[in-house]
Amino acid sequence: MYLHRWFSRAGRLLDRLPPFTWINRAVYRRAFARNRHENLFLGCYASFAEAAAAAPPVKPVGYDNAASVALYGDELRPRDYPAVFWIDRLVAEGARRVFDLGGYTGIKHYGFARLIDYPDDLVWTVGDVPAVVEAGRRVAAERGIEARLKFTADLSDVAEADLLFASGSVQFLEESPGALLARVGARPRWIVLNTSAIHPKHSYITLNSIGTAFCPYRVQSRAALVAELEALGYRLLDEWRNPGKGITVPFHPELDLEEYRGFCFERVAAA
């Protein structure tokens, strides 16, 4: 399989040959539309709306649908451990209101609970789309932890948090973390971003096939991310690599991303 890698490599050669250009692109677009099990990317767009409009009309756009609610479990992966380290440390320093941005059905709360001894007064709120929020509330109620693990579809609720956490989610949001915080006037004391699509040079929007749906996907440059959060009064405490996960945008090799990144920021000044 690994169609995205094959087309990225072959596309770099074949795309230079005029007779093959449209054939190669058409074959990949057909594979992209039919994809069910791979993580594929298509094109470069000026906006989320333009990326959504480019989605093949055979599946939903975005995660707000029943098929996409059942994609992920709460098992821990090696790339989770830097976030576990920082959240454990920040909870020890007094973080009690966690806002898990795009946190799905609370999978990181459940997974991290195996390694972090959550204090009794900690409240973990997941902000996500309505279909996911509904499923997350149902699971939390079944497990009897709805008092600690809460859900909201209103991302402005981040204003109540002292720790903003996002794992593998900021790329699916039309607003960057800094833009969201600036819009709602929120300034949590700490920000932990993990498994984030941060490119060394380029900011761009592409279209992602997750198998059950197509999602506009925003990749931000490292410089843009750091600059916008520094402008809001944050300083960078730590940065790490998330190897083993990357992005291949066929026919756009300059946009490929070898690995995702993680960051921890602390607010040091009012903005």
CSV table of all heavy atoms in Angstrom, one decimal, residues 53-95:
chain,number,residue,atom,x,y,z
A,53,ALA,N,-14.2,22.2,-0.6
A,53,ALA,CA,-14.9,22.2,-1.9
A,53,ALA,C,-14.2,21.2,-2.9
A,53,ALA,O,-14.8,20.7,-3.8
A,53,ALA,CB,-14.9,23.6,-2.5
A,54,ALA,N,-12.9,20.9,-2.6
A,54,ALA,CA,-12.2,20.0,-3.5
A,54,ALA,C,-12.3,18.6,-3.1
A,54,ALA,O,-11.9,17.7,-3.8
A,54,ALA,CB,-10.7,20.4,-3.4
A,55,ALA,N,-13.0,18.3,-2.0
A,55,ALA,CA,-13.2,16.9,-1.5
A,55,ALA,C,-14.1,16.1,-2.5
A,55,ALA,O,-15.1,16.6,-2.9
A,55,ALA,CB,-13.8,16.9,-0.1
A,56,PRO,N,-13.7,14.9,-2.8
A,56,PRO,CA,-14.6,14.1,-3.6
A,56,PRO,C,-16.0,13.9,-2.9
A,56,PRO,O,-16.0,13.7,-1.7
A,56,PRO,CB,-13.9,12.8,-3.7
A,56,PRO,CG,-12.4,13.1,-3.5
A,56,PRO,CD,-12.5,14.2,-2.5
A,57,PRO,N,-17.1,14.0,-3.7
A,57,PRO,CA,-18.4,13.9,-3.1
A,57,PRO,C,-18.9,12.5,-2.7
A,57,PRO,O,-20.0,12.1,-3.0
A,57,PRO,CB,-19.3,14.6,-4.2
A,57,PRO,CG,-18.6,14.1,-5.4
A,57,PRO,CD,-17.1,14.2,-5.1
A,58,VAL,N,-18.0,11.7,-2.1
A,58,VAL,CA,-18.4,10.4,-1.8
A,58,VAL,C,-18.4,10.1,-0.3
A,58,VAL,O,-18.8,9.0,0.2
A,58,VAL,CB,-17.4,9.4,-2.5
A,58,VAL,CG1,-17.6,9.5,-4.0
A,58,VAL,CG2,-16.0,9.7,-2.1
A,59,LYS,N,-17.9,11.0,0.5
A,59,LYS,CA,-17.8,10.9,2.0
A,59,LYS,C,-18.0,12.2,2.6
A,59,LYS,O,-17.9,13.3,2.0
A,59,LYS,CB,-16.4,10.3,2.4
A,59,LYS,CG,-16.1,8.9,1.9
A,59,LYS,CD,-14.7,8.5,2.3
A,59,LYS,CE,-14.3,7.2,1.6
A,59,LYS,NZ,-12.9,6.9,1.9
A,60,PRO,N,-18.3,12.2,3.9
A,60,PRO,CA,-18.5,13.5,4.6
A,60,PRO,C,-17.2,14.3,4.7
A,60,PRO,O,-16.1,13.8,4.5
A,60,PRO,CB,-19.0,13.1,6.0
A,60,PRO,CG,-19.4,11.7,5.9
A,60,PRO,CD,-18.6,11.1,4.8
A,61,VAL,N,-17.4,15.6,5.0
A,61,VAL,CA,-16.2,16.5,5.2
A,61,VAL,C,-16.2,16.8,6.7
A,61,VAL,O,-17.2,17.2,7.3
A,61,VAL,CB,-16.4,17.8,4.4
A,61,VAL,CG1,-15.2,18.8,4.8
A,61,VAL,CG2,-16.3,17.5,2.9
A,62,GLY,N,-15.1,16.4,7.3
A,62,GLY,CA,-14.9,16.7,8.8
A,62,GLY,C,-15.3,15.5,9.6
A,62,GLY,O,-15.7,14.4,9.2
A,63,TYR,N,-15.0,15.6,10.9
A,63,TYR,CA,-15.2,14.6,11.9
A,63,TYR,C,-16.6,14.5,12.5
A,63,TYR,O,-17.0,13.6,13.2
A,63,TYR,CB,-14.3,14.8,13.1
A,63,TYR,CG,-12.9,14.2,12.9
A,63,TYR,CD1,-11.9,14.9,12.3
A,63,TYR,CD2,-12.6,12.9,13.3
A,63,TYR,CE1,-10.6,14.4,12.1
A,63,TYR,CE2,-11.3,12.3,13.2
A,63,TYR,CZ,-10.4,13.1,12.6
A,63,TYR,OH,-9.1,12.5,12.4
A,64,ASP,N,-17.5,15.4,12.1
A,64,ASP,CA,-18.8,15.5,12.7
A,64,ASP,C,-19.8,14.5,12.1
A,64,ASP,O,-20.8,14.9,11.5
A,64,ASP,CB,-19.4,16.9,12.7
A,64,ASP,CG,-20.5,17.1,13.6
A,64,ASP,OD1,-20.8,16.2,14.4
A,64,ASP,OD2,-21.2,18.2,13.5
A,65,ASN,N,-19.5,13.2,12.2
A,65,ASN,CA,-20.3,12.2,11.6
A,65,ASN,C,-20.0,10.9,12.4
A,65,ASN,O,-19.0,10.7,13.0
A,65,ASN,CB,-20.0,12.0,10.1
A,65,ASN,CG,-18.6,11.7,9.9
A,65,ASN,OD1,-18.1,10.6,9.9
A,65,ASN,ND2,-17.8,12.7,9.5
A,66,ALA,N,-21.0,10.0,12.4
A,66,ALA,CA,-20.9,8.7,13.2
A,66,ALA,C,-19.7,7.9,12.8
A,66,ALA,O,-19.1,7.3,13.7
A,66,ALA,CB,-22.2,7.9,13.0
A,67,ALA,N,-19.4,7.8,11.5
A,67,ALA,CA,-18.3,6.9,11.1
A,67,ALA,C,-17.0,7.3,11.7
A,67,ALA,O,-16.1,6.5,12.0
A,67,ALA,CB,-18.3,6.8,9.6
A,68,SER,N,-16.8,8.6,11.8
A,68,SER,CA,-15.5,9.1,12.3
A,68,SER,C,-15.3,9.1,13.8
A,68,SER,O,-14.2,9.3,14.3
A,68,SER,CB,-15.3,10.6,11.7
A,68,SER,OG,-15.3,10.6,10.3
A,69,VAL,N,-16.4,8.9,14.5
A,69,VAL,CA,-16.4,8.9,16.0
A,69,VAL,C,-15.7,7.7,16.5
A,69,VAL,O,-15.1,7.7,17.6
A,69,VAL,CB,-17.8,9.0,16.5
A,69,VAL,CG1,-17.8,8.7,18.0
A,69,VAL,CG2,-18.4,10.4,16.3
A,70,ALA,N,-15.7,6.6,15.7
A,70,ALA,CA,-15.1,5.3,16.2
A,70,ALA,C,-13.7,5.0,15.7
A,70,ALA,O,-13.3,3.8,15.7
A,70,ALA,CB,-16.1,4.2,15.8
A,71,LEU,N,-13.0,6.0,15.3
A,71,LEU,CA,-11.7,5.7,14.7
A,71,LEU,C,-10.6,5.4,15.6
A,71,LEU,O,-9.7,4.6,15.3
A,71,LEU,CB,-11.3,7.0,13.8
A,71,LEU,CG,-11.9,7.1,12.5
A,71,LEU,CD1,-11.5,8.4,11.8
A,71,LEU,CD2,-11.6,5.9,11.6
A,72,TYR,N,-10.5,6.0,16.8
A,72,TYR,CA,-9.3,6.0,17.7
A,72,TYR,C,-9.6,5.4,19.0
A,72,TYR,O,-10.7,5.6,19.6
A,72,TYR,CB,-8.8,7.4,17.8
A,72,TYR,CG,-8.6,8.2,16.5
A,72,TYR,CD1,-9.3,9.3,16.3
A,72,TYR,CD2,-7.7,7.7,15.6
A,72,TYR,CE1,-9.1,10.0,15.1
A,72,TYR,CE2,-7.5,8.3,14.4
A,72,TYR,CZ,-8.3,9.5,14.1
A,72,TYR,OH,-8.1,10.2,12.9
A,73,GLY,N,-8.6,4.8,19.6
A,73,GLY,CA,-8.7,4.2,20.9
A,73,GLY,C,-7.8,5.0,21.9
A,73,GLY,O,-7.1,6.0,21.5
A,74,ASP,N,-7.7,4.5,23.1
A,74,ASP,CA,-6.9,5.3,24.1
A,74,ASP,C,-5.6,4.6,24.4
A,74,ASP,O,-5.0,4.9,25.4
A,74,ASP,CB,-7.7,5.4,25.4
A,74,ASP,CG,-8.1,4.1,26.0
A,74,ASP,OD1,-7.6,3.0,25.6
A,74,ASP,OD2,-8.9,4.1,27.0
A,75,GLU,N,-5.1,3.8,23.5
A,75,GLU,CA,-3.8,3.2,23.7
A,75,GLU,C,-2.7,4.3,23.6
A,75,GLU,O,-2.8,5.2,22.8
A,75,GLU,CB,-3.5,2.1,22.7
A,75,GLU,CG,-3.4,2.5,21.3
A,75,GLU,CD,-4.8,2.6,20.6
A,75,GLU,OE1,-5.8,2.5,21.3
A,75,GLU,OE2,-4.8,2.9,19.4
A,76,LEU,N,-1.7,4.1,24.4
A,76,LEU,CA,-0.6,5.1,24.3
A,76,LEU,C,0.5,4.7,23.3
A,76,LEU,O,0.7,3.5,23.1
A,76,LEU,CB,0.1,5.2,25.7
A,76,LEU,CG,-0.7,5.8,26.8
A,76,LEU,CD1,0.1,5.8,28.1
A,76,LEU,CD2,-1.1,7.2,26.5
A,77,ARG,N,1.0,5.7,22.6
A,77,ARG,CA,2.1,5.5,21.6
A,77,ARG,C,3.3,6.2,22.1
A,77,ARG,O,3.3,7.1,22.9
A,77,ARG,CB,1.6,6.0,20.3
A,77,ARG,CG,0.4,5.2,19.7
A,77,ARG,CD,0.1,5.6,18.3
A,77,ARG,NE,-0.9,4.8,17.7
A,77,ARG,CZ,-2.1,5.2,17.4
A,77,ARG,NH1,-2.5,6.4,17.6
A,77,ARG,NH2,-3.0,4.4,16.8
A,78,PRO,N,4.5,5.8,21.5
A,78,PRO,CA,5.7,6.5,22.0
A,78,PRO,C,5.6,8.0,21.8
A,78,PRO,O,6.2,8.7,22.7
A,78,PRO,CB,6.8,5.9,21.0
A,78,PRO,CG,6.3,4.5,20.7
A,78,PRO,CD,4.8,4.7,20.6
A,79,ARG,N,4.9,8.5,20.8
A,79,ARG,CA,4.9,10.0,20.7
A,79,ARG,C,4.0,10.7,21.7
A,79,ARG,O,4.0,11.9,21.8
A,79,ARG,CB,4.4,10.4,19.3
A,79,ARG,CG,3.0,9.8,18.9
A,79,ARG,CD,2.6,10.3,17.5
A,79,ARG,NE,1.4,9.7,17.0
A,79,ARG,CZ,1.3,8.7,16.2
A,79,ARG,NH1,2.4,8.1,15.8
A,79,ARG,NH2,0.2,8.2,15.8
A,80,ASP,N,3.3,9.9,22.5
A,80,ASP,CA,2.5,10.5,23.6
A,80,ASP,C,3.3,10.9,24.8
A,80,ASP,O,2.9,11.7,25.6
A,80,ASP,CB,1.4,9.5,24.1
A,80,ASP,CG,0.3,9.4,23.1
A,80,ASP,OD1,-0.2,10.4,22.6
A,80,ASP,OD2,-0.1,8.2,22.8
A,81,TYR,N,4.5,10.3,25.0
A,81,TYR,CA,5.2,10.4,26.3
A,81,TYR,C,5.7,11.8,26.6
A,81,TYR,O,5.7,12.2,27.8
A,81,TYR,CB,6.3,9.3,26.4
A,81,TYR,CG,5.7,8.0,26.7
A,81,TYR,CD1,5.2,7.1,25.6
A,81,TYR,CD2,5.4,7.6,28.0
A,81,TYR,CE1,4.6,5.9,25.9
A,81,TYR,CE2,4.8,6.3,28.2
A,81,TYR,CZ,4.4,5.5,27.2
A,81,TYR,OH,3.8,4.3,27.5
A,82,PRO,N,6.2,12.6,25.6
A,82,PRO,CA,6.5,14.0,26.0
A,82,PRO,C,5.4,14.8,26.6
A,82,PRO,O,5.5,15.5,27.5
A,82,PRO,CB,7.0,14.6,24.6
A,82,PRO,CG,7.4,13.4,23.8
A,82,PRO,CD,6.5,12.3,24.2
A,83,ALA,N,4.2,14.5,26.0
A,83,ALA,CA,3.0,15.2,26.6
A,83,ALA,C,2.7,14.7,27.9
A,83,ALA,O,2.3,15.5,28.8
A,83,ALA,CB,1.8,15.0,25.6
A,84,VAL,N,2.8,13.4,28.2
A,84,VAL,CA,2.6,12.9,29.5
A,84,VAL,C,3.5,13.5,30.5
A,84,VAL,O,3.1,13.9,31.6
A,84,VAL,CB,2.8,11.3,29.5
A,84,VAL,CG1,2.7,10.8,30.9
A,84,VAL,CG2,1.7,10.7,28.7
A,85,PHE,N,4.8,13.6,30.1
A,85,PHE,CA,5.8,14.2,31.0
A,85,PHE,C,5.4,15.6,31.4
A,85,PHE,O,5.4,16.0,32.6
A,85,PHE,CB,7.1,14.3,30.3
A,85,PHE,CG,8.2,15.1,31.0
A,85,PHE,CD1,8.9,14.7,32.1
A,85,PHE,CD2,8.4,16.5,30.6
A,85,PHE,CE1,9.8,15.5,32.7
A,85,PHE,CE2,9.3,17.3,31.2
A,85,PHE,CZ,10.0,16.8,32.3
A,86,TRP,N,5.0,16.5,30.4
A,86,TRP,CA,4.7,17.9,30.7
A,86,TRP,C,3.4,18.0,31.4
A,86,TRP,O,3.2,18.8,32.4
A,86,TRP,CB,4.7,18.7,29.4
A,86,TRP,CG,6.1,19.2,29.1
A,86,TRP,CD1,6.9,18.8,28.1
A,86,TRP,CD2,6.8,20.2,29.9
A,86,TRP,NE1,8.1,19.4,28.2
A,86,TRP,CE2,8.1,20.3,29.3
A,86,TRP,CE3,6.5,20.9,31.0
A,86,TRP,CZ2,9.0,21.2,29.8
A,86,TRP,CZ3,7.5,21.8,31.5
A,86,TRP,CH2,8.7,21.9,30.9
A,87,ILE,N,2.4,17.3,31.1
A,87,ILE,CA,1.1,17.4,31.8
A,87,ILE,C,1.2,17.0,33.2
A,87,ILE,O,0.7,17.6,34.2
A,87,ILE,CB,0.0,16.7,31.1
A,87,ILE,CG1,-0.3,17.4,29.7
A,87,ILE,CG2,-1.3,16.6,31.9
A,87,ILE,CD1,-1.4,16.8,28.9
A,88,ASP,N,1.9,15.9,33.5
A,88,ASP,CA,2.2,15.4,34.8
A,88,ASP,C,2.9,16.5,35.6
A,88,ASP,O,2.5,16.8,36.8
A,88,ASP,CB,3.0,14.2,34.8
A,88,ASP,CG,3.2,13.5,36.2
A,88,ASP,OD1,2.3,13.7,37.0
A,88,ASP,OD2,4.2,12.9,36.4
A,89,ARG,N,3.9,17.1,35.0
A,89,ARG,CA,4.6,18.2,35.7
A,89,ARG,C,3.8,19.4,36.0
A,89,ARG,O,3.8,20.0,37.1
A,89,ARG,CB,5.9,18.6,34.9
A,89,ARG,CG,6.7,19.7,35.4
A,89,ARG,CD,8.0,19.8,34.7
A,89,ARG,NE,8.8,20.9,35.1
A,89,ARG,CZ,10.1,21.1,34.8
A,89,ARG,NH1,10.7,20.3,33.9
A,89,ARG,NH2,10.7,22.1,35.3
A,90,LEU,N,3.0,19.8,35.0
A,90,LEU,CA,2.2,21.0,35.2
A,90,LEU,C,1.0,20.8,36.1
A,90,LEU,O,0.6,21.8,36.8
A,90,LEU,CB,1.7,21.5,33.8
A,90,LEU,CG,2.8,21.9,32.8
A,90,LEU,CD1,2.2,22.3,31.5
A,90,LEU,CD2,3.7,23.0,33.3
A,91,VAL,N,0.5,19.6,36.2
A,91,VAL,CA,-0.6,19.3,37.2
A,91,VAL,C,0.1,19.4,38.6
A,91,VAL,O,-0.6,20.0,39.5
A,91,VAL,CB,-1.2,17.9,36.9
A,91,VAL,CG1,-2.0,17.4,38.1
A,91,VAL,CG2,-2.1,17.9,35.7
A,92,ALA,N,1.3,19.0,38.7
A,92,ALA,CA,2.0,19.1,40.0
A,92,ALA,C,2.2,20.5,40.4
A,92,ALA,O,2.3,20.9,41.6
A,92,ALA,CB,3.3,18.3,39.9
A,93,GLU,N,2.4,21.4,39.3
A,93,GLU,CA,2.6,22.8,39.6
A,93,GLU,C,1.3,23.6,39.8
A,93,GLU,O,1.3,24.8,40.0
A,93,GLU,CB,3.4,23.4,38.4
A,93,GLU,CG,4.8,23.0,38.4
A,93,GLU,CD,5.6,23.7,37.3
A,93,GLU,OE1,5.2,24.8,36.9
A,93,GLU,OE2,6.6,23.1,36.8
A,94,GLY,N,0.1,22.9,39.7
A,94,GLY,CA,-1.1,23.6,40.0
A,94,GLY,C,-2.1,23.6,38.9
A,94,GLY,O,-3.2,24.2,39.1
A,95,ALA,N,-1.9,23.1,37.7
A,95,ALA,CA,-2.9,23.1,36.7
A,95,ALA,C,-4.1,22.2,37.1
A,95,ALA,O,-3.9,21.0,37.5
A,95,ALA,CB,-2.3,22.5,35.4
